[in-house]
Amino acid sequence: MRSTILVTGGTGTLGQHVVPLLREAGRDVRVLSRRGREAADGVEYVTGDLLKNEGIEAAVAGAEIVVHLAGGAKGDDEATRNLVRAAARAEAKHLVFISVIGADRVPLSWLKTQLDAEQAVIDSGVPWTVQRAAQFHDLVLKVVRSMARLPVVPNPGGLRFQPVDPRDVAARIAGLALGEPAGRVPDLAGPNVYGMDELVRGYLGARGKRRPLMPVRIPGKAGRAYRAGDNLALDGADRGTRTWEDFLDERLGATPARADV
């Protein structure tokens, strides 16, 4: 008898791709959401709040597999602790967690939160799998779109990214959820490394816009970590297939051309 798979963050950027893949595999899926929804397409929705520790017991009840995708906000570590405690009490058999490449190397408070969340999963007593991934194309687009609104676009020297398509990550997460607990698995990044100037130029070119770029320096320990590439995937990491150019072509309907900036 196949048990229900609980997915937190099932309506988010990653979750909206993971949930259909689990359904296509014939699994019953329950999504924990802060807002109530009617069941649809074989997906049950339960209302709860991980940070407030509300509704979690009901969400994990009967779910042997828990896929924790909710995150990206202040308090992710505490929200994860609340979830894994409930999962342990419910005797879940597998806990899958999505984290961020560089969580243990880049000295930013948000990444420290992700590292603490990882540790909560590891210490939970529930068999676990942790997948670190690079920044999603959607997040990078949000950043460069905001920067491109400025009359002069700041260009942080040495800042590089390996943006990955959430569909590539979703395929990996779904496969991990349907498999056996695997511990820390290889990082997953996009196929290419881009400087911030290349990402901005790709976006501007796709929009047919021009902006001058102004070099700036990221100060402190975080700046040194980024210039050293500590946010990038190390040797042995896996690569997705969809590039930044593929994403822009799909999202903006135009093949990126080099912007005259």
Side-chain angles (χ1 to χ4, degrees), residues 8 14-15 18 67-72 76 80 95-101 110 114 117-118 121 129-134 136 164 169-170 172-173 176 188:
T8 73
L14 179 58
V18 171
V67 180
H68 184 29
L69 309 179
D76 283 348
T80 301
L95 180 59
V96 180
F97 178 59
I98 181 71
S99 187
V100 184
I101 292 173
W110 176 69
Q114 296 304 299
E118 286 185 17
V121 170
T129 302
V130 169
Q131 172 72 70
R132 289 182 180 176
F136 296 162
V164 65
V169 182
R172 171 65 61 82
I173 292 293
L176 292 171
L188 180 59

Side-chain angles (χ1 to χ4, degrees), residues 68-199:
H68 184 29
L69 309 179
K74 184 178 180 180
D76 283 348
D77 51 347
E78 185 58 32
T80 301
R81 292 187 193 101
N82 291 336
L83 175 65
V84 301
R85 284 194 290 263
R89 289 193 293 269
E91 299 182 343
K93 300 295 189 287
H94 189 187
L95 180 59
V96 180
F97 178 59
I98 181 71
S99 187
V100 184
I101 292 173
D104 56 345
R105 301 193 300 270
V106 179
L108 293 178
S109 58
W110 176 69
L111 288 175
K112 176 61 164 57
T113 298
Q114 296 304 299
L115 189 63
D116 290 345
E118 286 185 17
Q119 196 60 50
V121 170
I122 293 168
D123 294 339
S124 67
V126 178
W128 55 274
T129 302
V130 169
Q131 172 72 70
R132 289 182 180 176
Q135 287 75 23
F136 296 162
H137 286 140
D138 303 72
L139 175 60
V140 174
L141 176 61
K142 182 178 180 180
V143 171
V144 299
R145 179 180 279 157
S146 177
M147 293 171 64
R149 293 192 181 104
L150 300 172
V152 177
V153 180
N155 178 28
L159 183 58
R160 293 168 291 162
F161 293 100
Q162 285 175 282
V164 65
D165 196 282
R167 289 166 294 185
D168 289 330
V169 182
R172 171 65 61 82
I173 292 293
L176 292 171
L178 296 171
E180 297 296 320
R184 170 83 184 278
V185 297
D187 295 348
L188 180 59
N192 300 319
V193 177
Y194 301 88
M196 178 57 78
D197 59 332
E198 295 175 292
L199 295 168

Side-chain angles (χ1 to χ4, degrees), residues 6 30-38 44-50 53-60:
L6 172 67
R30 178 184 300 154
V31 171
L32 175 63
S33 174
R34 287 195 295 268
R35 298 180 181 87
R37 296 185 179 209
E38 294 294 327
E44 174 191 4
Y45 293 89
V46 295
T47 305
D49 190 304
L50 291 173
N53 201 16
E54 297 174 349
I56 305 176
E57 298 290 344
V60 299

Side-chain angles (χ1 to χ4, degrees), residues 1-6 22 26-30 60-66 91-94 177-178:
M1 182 176 180
R2 294 184 174 183
S3 66
T4 297
I5 298 178
L6 172 67
L22 296 175
R27 305 304 297 265
D28 294 328
V29 177
R30 178 184 300 154
V60 299
E64 292 189 356
I65 302 170
V66 177
E91 299 182 343
K93 300 295 189 287
H94 189 187
L178 296 171

Side-chain angles (χ1 to χ4, degrees), residues 148 153 200-211 213 257 259 261:
V153 180
V200 171
R201 287 190 177 102
Y203 171 75
L204 290 171
R207 296 298 306 272
K209 294 183 177 182
R210 298 182 180 184
R211 292 287 189 278
L213 270 64
V261 293

